Amino acid sequence: DIKNKVAIVTGSTRGIGKSIARKLGYEGALLVLNYRKRDDEANNALRELKSLGYEAIAVKADLSMEEDCRLLIDTTMDTFGKLDILVNNAGTGFYSPFKDINDKLIEKTLGTDFKSVLYCSLYASRAMERGVIINIASITGIIPYYGLSVYGSLKSAVINLTKSMALELAPSIRVNAIAPGLVNTNLGGSLLNVMGISWDTWINKYTLTKKATEPDEIAEAVIAEIKIDTMTGEVIKIDGGQALK
Ligand code: NAD
């Protein structure tokens, strides 16, 4: 039961994170939103969730930095006095052919797509009595995609970390992941842009379902992974069958 559970969703003022926050709010969770830069997006998201009757705060924190991960967990504990659910969703997705990779891209991706998950989970696991951690990985962490070697490698690391934490934090904390294929968000659109492919072409050529995955579909799976009491160390692919093509 998610009612009155305190839930942090990282990177949740737009895209997949915002859908996850909305569904958790619908289930009765007390929400902690997080974002890095865009105060306007945060204010809009807060207004939207509050207008639906959900309790929510927003914490500005750049989770590529350890101290900001700690700040996010500390602020949650100071505000609500407990933490039950952490959804590690914040992430980037820089495209670069392997030979063009540079240290800046590696460090940025390492911070945002891996260290954020590691440090938020670390501080959350120390604060949680019992709880669930959900990590938003990617299909690129399971099979390779051209131009996404750094991102994909770090999403593989997120999948390994999911299973490692499931092993070490049991029985009080369960840890699961989702591996989305391309999702209809800012990030999904900008990835297609650099690849020079339209949504229509991509959907027809690369999916079995002939349909773009929507953020709400990822959010549904997050809710399921939270609710199923014996699910831990699991990774659910939601990719329109993209991995089979
Ligand atoms: P998005 O760009 O629409 O939203 C990303 C959110 O993360 C934003 O709110 C942003 O402020 C936040 N964020 C980014 N860096 C941050 C940082 N350092 N600290 C705190 N917040 C930060 O992206 P999205 O498509 O909603 O992606 C969400 C997650 O899903 C990411 O982890 C991404 O890798 C993963 N994913 C996305 C797709 C896709 O096609 N869209 C596919 C597979 C996996």
Side-chain angles (χ1 to χ4, degrees):
D1 191 6
I2 292 174
K3 198 161 167 42
N4 292 326
K5 294 279 184 339
V6 176
I8 299 175
V9 185
T10 69
S12 48
T13 56
R14 66 167 191 242
I16 296 171
K18 189 170 153 189
S19 284
I20 296 169
R22 206 189 296 112
K23 282 222 192 281
L24 282 166
Y26 178 80
E27 296 280 340
L30 313 175
L31 302 167
V32 180
L33 306 184
N34 154 256
Y35 64 107
R36 184 172 46 128
K37 261 205 312 243
R38 299 275 303 268
D39 295 320
D40 57 325
E41 281 182 358
N43 289 335
N44 286 341
L46 265 185
R47 203 172 310 122
E48 182 188 328
L49 291 166
K50 286 185 174 169
S51 76
L52 292 165
Y54 310 153
E55 192 169 332
I57 61 165
V59 181
K60 188 175 193 168
D62 179 348
L63 303 178
S64 61
M65 299 190 292
E66 179 184 358
E67 60 270 28
D68 279 32
C69 296
R70 188 202 298 249
L71 171 90
L72 176 62
I73 308 299
D74 285 352
T75 307
T76 303
M77 294 304 284
D78 290 347
T79 309
F80 293 109
K82 64 166 186 161
L83 173 61
D84 306 292
I85 296 165
L86 168 68
V87 183
N88 287 306
N89 164 79
T92 45
F94 297 114
Y95 175 94
S96 170
F98 186 72
K99 286 184 177 176
D100 298 333
I101 286 166
N102 55 50
D103 193 54
K104 198 171 160 213
L105 177 137
I106 295 170
E107 287 301 324
K108 270 184 96 168
T109 315
L110 182 64
T112 305
D113 286 296
F114 184 66
K115 283 190 183 174
S116 61
V117 181
L118 185 60
Y119 284 121
C120 285
S121 300
L122 179 63
Y123 292 111
S125 69
R126 292 175 182 167
M128 272 177 182
E129 239 169 79
R130 296 184 62 78
V132 189
I133 298 174
I134 308 291
N135 298 324
I136 307 302
S138 166
I139 197 69
T140 63
I142 298 174
I143 50 172
Y145 280 85
Y146 192 95
L148 294 176
S149 55
V150 176
Y151 176 72
S153 299
L154 293 168
K155 290 296 193 180
S156 289
V158 167
I159 289 173
N160 189 297
L161 183 64
T162 300
K163 296 175 187 177
S164 300
M165 290 194 298
L167 185 69
E168 289 204 27
L169 301 177
S172 52
I173 300 175
R174 292 186 295 109
V175 190
N176 292 306
I178 314 268
L182 200 70
V183 182
N184 187 11
T185 65
N186 280 9
L187 177 61
S190 61
L191 275 175
L192 284 184
N193 241 343
V194 262
M195 293 184 226
I197 309 174
S198 71
W199 272 105
D200 276 354
T201 310
W202 191 86
I203 288 164
N204 281 314
K205 207 163 157 193
Y206 295 107
T207 70
L208 296 178
T209 51
K210 305 291 174 213
K211 169 180 177 303
T213 300
E214 295 298 332
D216 271 354
E217 297 178 281
I218 307 301
E220 281 295 348
V222 170
I223 300 292
E225 286 190 340
I226 292 170
K227 283 187 173 175
I228 300 170
D229 279 340
T230 50
M231 186 190 280
T232 194
E234 185 57 88
V235 184
I236 300 181
K237 284 199 265 93
I238 303 174
D239 69 338
Q242 174 184 340
L244 300 178
K245 286 209 81 170

